[in-house]
């Protein structure tokens, strides 16, 4: 029987003191299906009046879709398409960079009201045929767009893709699934084998899977071809994700591509300020890190 692969979150500072736990990419596993990046944000209690240094200033992307999903708190999104959107818990911000987009992620709600910031952000690599698509932005909310379920002590929401006969309204470009489970203590739910690559992440609480205890901050990349039963040892927030592999991808800072030459072009474009900044948030930006030059 193949073993599951354990991944521990690694602390990473987004700048100004806002820290996340990074799971993907991992040296032993760069991707799970098309998912090439996964960060766990918080939980982090922020008091009113927090400094602007905690915000994620304008920065660029190519070759991917970002998906931001919150359990608590709020983030203000602005991008170079002119989109301005507050994301709140249970909603989905799906931004497809394609040939290039810039955006900022501000903590404006927390700065005014205070907030417990807790959520996840993932990147989904685009198939080669869509890497240079026009950029786009979609904000989704409600059960009509993000199908929900409730059974045997587990409530869930399909964030993107298709799973268990449900389909989310997010415009994905390859076969994938991404689902949020809230599990009561001792509840059990099975994850089947619809997709060849699958992972389970515990954002809160503690679960048991194949006799192994998985605590918060850990991801298990599942062995292929076998359904698993996931039991919550205590109230837990669990994310399940995966899909069909799309081939090797290269990463440089915030850029993803099947071509190293394309990454160099993106770095040069940002270094020379050839990418427009977000509408309404164009007075500062994150410079290209020296290591990405």
């Amino acid at each position: 029987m193949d073993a599951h692969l354990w991944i521990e979150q690694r602390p990473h500072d987004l700048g100004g003191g806002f820290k996340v736990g990074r799971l993907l990419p991992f040296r032993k596993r760069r991707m799970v299906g098309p998912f090439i990046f996964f960060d766990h944000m918080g939980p982090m209690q922020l008091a009113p009046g927090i400094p602007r240094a905690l915000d994620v200033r304008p920065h660029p992307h190519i070759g991917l879709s970002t998906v931001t999903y919150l359990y608590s708190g709020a983030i203000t999104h602005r991008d170079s398409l002119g989109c301005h959107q507050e994301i709140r818990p249970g909603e989905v911000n799906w931004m497809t960079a394609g040939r290039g987009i810039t955006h900022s992620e501000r903590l404006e709600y927390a700065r005014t009201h205070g907030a417990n910031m807790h959520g996840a952000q993932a990147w989904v690599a685009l198939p080669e045929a869509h890497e240079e698509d026009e950029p786009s932005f979609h904000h989704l909310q409600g059960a009509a767009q993000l199908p929900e379920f409730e059974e045997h002590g587990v409530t869930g929401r399909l964030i993107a893709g298709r799973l268990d006969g449900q389909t989310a309204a997010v415009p994905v470009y390859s076969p994938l699934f991404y689902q949020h489970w809230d599990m009561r203590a001792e509840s059990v739910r099975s994850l089947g084998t619809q997709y060849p690559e699958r992972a389970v992440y515990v954002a809160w609480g503690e679960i048991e899977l194949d006799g192994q205890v998985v605590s918060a901050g850990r991801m298990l990349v599942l062995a292929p071809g076998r359904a698993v039963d996931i039991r919550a040892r205590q109230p837990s927030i669990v994310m399940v994700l995966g899909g069909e592999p799309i081939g090797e991808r290269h990463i440089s800072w915030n850029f993803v591509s099947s071509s190293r030459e394309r990454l160099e072009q993106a770095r040069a474009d940002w270094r020379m300020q050839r990418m427009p900044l977000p509408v309404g948030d164009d007075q500062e930006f994150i410079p290209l890190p020296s290591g990405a030059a």
Side-chain angles (χ1 to χ4, degrees):
M1 181 185 299
D2 293 337
H4 307 308
L5 174 65
W6 289 73
I7 301 178
E8 301 266 1
Q9 68 173 7
R10 292 96 60 199
H12 182 78
D13 194 328
L14 297 180
F18 192 85
K19 296 180 180 179
V20 298
R22 183 148 297 167
L23 285 303
L24 294 175
F26 181 57
R27 57 185 175 81
K28 292 184 178 180
R29 188 63 183 251
R30 303 288 291 174
M31 301 173 69
V32 178
F35 288 86
I36 196 167
F37 178 97
F38 191 94
D39 270 358
H40 182 191
M41 302 180 287
M44 184 179 185
Q45 189 65 46
L46 301 177
I50 57 170
R52 285 178 59 85
L54 283 176
D55 293 347
V56 180
R57 293 170 292 157
H59 60 280
H61 292 288
I62 67 163
L64 56 86
S65 295
T66 66
V67 52
T68 304
Y69 184 82
L70 299 178
Y71 315 119
S72 62
I75 291 175
T76 303
H77 163 99
R78 292 183 180 87
D79 64 38
S80 50
L81 299 177
C83 301
H84 176 190
Q85 178 67 54
E86 191 86 356
I87 179 172
R88 299 185 182 277
E91 303 173 353
V92 171
N93 266 17
W94 186 276
M95 184 185 75
T96 296
R99 62 178 177 78
I101 197 170
T102 67
H103 75 137
S104 62
E105 297 156 295
R106 301 283 187 180
L107 301 173
E108 294 176 359
Y109 179 88
R111 187 164 295 113
T112 302
H113 305 283
N116 179 29
M117 289 301 307
H118 193 200
Q121 186 173 81
W123 294 356
V124 178
L126 296 172
E128 287 188 42
H130 294 284
E131 285 185 305
E132 297 298 322
D133 279 6
E134 290 294 315
S136 61
F137 175 82
H138 299 270
H139 180 78
L140 302 103
Q141 63 187 59
Q145 295 184 311
L146 308 172
E148 299 174 351
F149 70 85
E150 182 173 1
E151 57 184 38
H152 310 303
V154 182
T155 59
R157 177 178 294 111
L158 186 61
I159 298 169
R162 179 177 300 192
L163 190 66
D164 298 333
Q166 295 183 320
T167 303
V170 168
V172 301
Y173 296 88
S174 66
L176 63 87
F177 73 99
Y178 187 23
Q179 200 171 49
H180 165 206
W181 298 357
D182 277 319
M183 305 185 73
R184 292 206 302 261
E186 300 304 322
S187 63
V188 178
R189 183 169 173 82
S190 177
L191 181 61
T193 59
Q194 180 178 343
Y195 295 91
E197 298 188 359
R198 304 161 298 156
V200 176
Y201 179 66
V202 182
W204 184 265
E206 188 176 75
I207 66 171
E208 185 175 327
L209 191 159
D210 281 355
Q212 301 178 84
V213 176
V214 188
S215 54
R218 289 182 167 180
M219 175 179 283
L220 276 188
V221 180
L222 302 180
R226 182 164 55 87
V228 294
D229 289 332
I230 299 168
R231 181 177 71 88
R233 292 165 57 93
Q234 54 184 264
S236 300
I237 297 173
V238 176
M239 308 297 279
V240 295
L241 61 142
E244 299 278 351
I246 63 167
E248 183 182 14
R249 288 296 182 274
H250 309 292
I251 301 179
S252 177
W253 190 38
N254 296 318
F255 306 127
V256 170
S257 180
S258 58
S259 163
R260 293 188 185 277
E261 292 75 18
R262 181 65 178 92
L263 293 181
E264 177 53 42
Q265 178 188 334
R267 291 192 294 264
D269 287 342
W270 188 244
R271 188 186 304 114
M272 301 302 292
Q273 299 182 31
R274 291 193 289 255
M275 299 179 72
L277 293 173
V279 176
D281 194 355
D282 59 358
Q283 298 305 300
E284 58 180 345
F285 60 90
I286 301 176
L288 184 76
S290 58

